[in-house]
Amino acid sequence: MAAEFTLDLNDDQKQVRDWLHGFAENVMRPAAAEWDEREETPWPIIQEAAKVGIYSLDFYAQQFFDPTGLGIPMAMEELFWGDAGIALSIVGTGLAAVGVLANGTEEQIGTWIPQMYGDADDVKVAAFCSSEPDAGSDVASMRTRAVYDEAADEWVLNGTKTWATNGGIANVHVVVAVVDPELGSKGHASFIVPPNTPGLSQGQKFKKHGIRASHTAEVVLDNVRVPGSCLLGGKEKLDERLARAREKAAKAGKEGGERVKNAAMATFEASRPAVGAMAVGTARAAYEVALDYAKTREQFGRPIIDNQGVAFQLADMRTQIDAARLLVWRASWMATTGKPFTSAEGSMSKLYASEVAKKVTAQAVQILGGNGFTREYPVERMHRDAAIYTIFEGTSEIQRLVIARTLSGMPIR
């Protein structure tokens, strides 16, 4: 008998989806315009999310370990359908938590992740600090240094991070730094910077085009000293990894260096479907507003959806949204079931979904006409928010480069 194939969500998944949808509709959406205008972290909304259990490690762990792989993309789509800026404030801590889960010891996980979230009465946030002013897509150009002070068993961090979600306002910062410049991206390590550590400060807070309810800032590290126990994974594991990387680089020469970079890029590949799901949520939200508007807005004595010029746009919008979701679901299922991304399916899903979000939100503004250009309707905000998806977690150009290199096996530049 052939194995059963289904795209239906099971009852548990539907229950979670409907619960998230209700929170997005009843709590996030009514507050979206206000926090977009204020350009501040929506602490009351995060607190509400904590009270009901959405803002917690337990919730994300349950979705992450969904055996179908659809838990995380389903959650992201619903929250970002509510509002992208507020949703990013709710899920941004997850970036730092994943960094600890991926690289930390059990003791580090147990110590630091609870401090990232706090509790419903005293919510906290965390920040993952990787990008730098001169090292965004080019992670090998990272300059933030971490030097080990053996006498004190401390690491000393110096440098400037940028584009850090929750940067400077976080209780816990996870910082990626260079420990061996000779090894490119293989010479990096991640460090916990505990609360109130001297030398860490917030630099410029960015006033952004979209996702304005999410705090984005520079993080300045000036002789920041952290205990040796704050190196994620521990020093013994780091020394072993660096030794292997040096041996491989010595044997393979320049060719080995290229392989090291590609291996690092592959680690990012698995996280990209989640960003694709965020983009699907924003696109779906804009499409739904445009569809409702087209059915009720009358011109020349009939609803504007009676015109093929409008109706066909809506048909294309929905088709592209559904296609994007399927790419995201495929990549998420592959990642969970251990199937290799032989065609860069993770990057495919992020690339297509982010491009669809930009296009669909622009079409929604056009369908609403003058109303779409005002802040009285949410599509202009959705259009501004959608611009980020083709930029963060790897630009569309980087996604195409990853896909092209994977398909061809060539070092395309």
Side-chain angles (χ1 to χ4, degrees), residues 13 18 32 36 58 70 91 97 103 123 154 156 161 174 177 181 189 200 212 256-257 271 314 349 371-372 392 403 409:
Q13 290 169 327
D18 294 345
D36 177 70
D58 288 347
L70 301 186
V91 307
N103 302 302
V123 292
E154 291 178 334
V156 185
K161 294 296 182 178
V174 177
L200 184 146
R212 301 198 308 196
S271 70
L314 288 160
S349 69
N371 286 327
F392 74 175
I403 295 165

Side-chain angles (χ1 to χ4, degrees), residues 352-376:
Y352 188 72
S354 60
E355 294 288 347
V356 164
K358 280 186 72 172
K359 184 177 180 181
V360 164
T361 54
Q363 287 176 301
V365 170
Q366 189 69 23
I367 288 171
L368 268 68
N371 286 327
F373 201 66
T374 72
R375 296 189 186 180
E376 296 299 310

Side-chain angles (χ1 to χ4, degrees), residues 5 11 19 22-23 51 68-69 72 97 133 136 148 161 179 201 206 224 263 290 313 357 367 375 378:
F5 174 79
D11 289 342
W19 172 53
F23 183 84
K51 282 180 180 175
T68 69
I72 290 293
Y148 186 56
K161 294 296 182 178
V179 293
S201 62
F206 296 103
V224 171
Q313 278 195 79
I367 288 171
R375 296 189 186 180

Side-chain angles (χ1 to χ4, degrees), residues 30-96:
E34 175 190 349
W35 291 101
D36 177 70
E37 292 284 348
R38 290 174 65 164
E39 299 192 51
E40 296 174 358
T41 300
W43 292 106
I45 312 299
I46 300 174
Q47 189 170 30
E48 284 298 311
K51 282 180 180 175
V52 298
I54 293 172
Y55 185 72
S56 70
L57 178 64
D58 288 347
F59 170 72
Y60 290 108
Q62 286 172 15
Q63 303 317 306
F64 183 81
F65 290 112
D66 181 332
T68 69
L70 301 186
I72 290 293
M74 181 189 66
M76 294 298 134
E77 180 177 337
E78 292 305 326
L79 291 173
F80 281 75
W81 173 89
D83 178 69
I86 293 176
L88 198 56
S89 287
I90 292 172
V91 307
T93 293
L95 296 172

